[in-house]
Amino acid sequence: MKINGELKYLWRAVDQNGTVLDILVQKRRNKAAARRFFRRLLKGIGAVPRVVVTDKLRSYGAAHRQVTPSVEHRSHQGLNNRAENSHQPTRQRERAKKGFRSVGAAQRYLAAFSGISPHFRPRRHLMTASDHRAEMTVRFAVWEQVTGVTGRPAAA
């Protein structure tokens, strides 16, 4: 991710259901940055995970051995697809040239977006079309109650 022409790295933790647990934008992608992210994540969730799944970046393994040595660590290309898929909205925004002006702006946007986005993305592959329509009607009604905004978005 580029912010003001400078390359930044997006660290994202996702649980087994695809829910975003934490997001952090950092300047580096080394062992110290991974250790900082792991510590922040563990402090935020308040529990020790059973398994940690990452991509093949070596700094994850080094940081994992220091922060959570008792937790199983799986590093494989296909295992972290939930985290990779949760990156897609951020990448779409970058491609549309609606980049972030600062690290703080990126952090604030991503933190808010990760809480709101799952509300409008039910697990469609587990539902029939009629169940999906009914679920989305309920979710938009809840959204209208919470925000006071009426009307569904226009179809693209």
Side-chain angles (χ1 to χ4, degrees):
M1 161 186 316
K2 281 198 172 194
I3 299 174
N4 283 337
E6 193 175 329
L7 190 62
K8 303 289 181 182
Y9 296 100
L10 181 64
W11 299 73
R12 185 182 305 256
V14 181
D15 70 2
Q16 67 272 12
N17 298 319
T19 305
V20 177
L21 301 173
D22 197 7
I23 296 173
L24 183 62
V25 179
Q26 294 193 78
K27 194 176 206 175
R28 300 185 184 267
R29 199 167 181 221
N30 57 13
K31 182 172 102 174
R35 190 173 52 234
R36 189 176 314 120
F37 181 65
F38 281 158
R39 286 190 178 134
R40 174 185 162 136
L41 176 64
L42 292 173
K43 189 170 97 174
I45 61 175
V48 178
R50 187 177 50 82
V51 177
V52 173
V53 177
T54 64
D55 61 13
K56 293 184 177 184
L57 183 68
R58 290 187 180 265
S59 60
Y60 287 129
H64 171 264
R65 285 189 294 277
Q66 286 185 343
V67 178
T68 56
S70 62
V71 176
E72 181 183 353
H73 179 228
R74 296 180 190 164
S75 177
H76 187 272
Q77 187 169 351
L79 290 176
N80 71 330
N81 282 344
R82 283 193 178 91
E84 292 301 326
N85 288 338
S86 71
H87 281 306
Q88 287 176 352
T90 307
R91 290 187 181 131
Q92 288 169 348
R93 179 175 168 155
E94 285 181 311
R95 276 194 302 272
K97 303 279 187 205
K98 296 177 185 171
F100 303 104
R101 293 177 187 239
S102 68
V103 174
Q107 187 74 46
R108 285 189 301 275
Y109 168 79
L110 295 169
F113 185 79
S114 67
I116 295 168
S117 176
H119 182 74
F120 296 105
R121 294 181 182 181
R123 300 183 73 192
R124 176 67 181 98
H125 64 287
L126 300 176
M127 304 176 165
T128 63
S130 60
D131 289 343
H132 181 260
R133 283 190 294 274
E135 180 66 24
M136 289 308 292
T137 301
V138 169
R139 289 183 182 207
F140 274 103
V142 168
W143 181 254
E144 289 170 5
Q145 287 176 349
V146 170
T147 62
V149 176
T150 60
R152 294 185 80 157

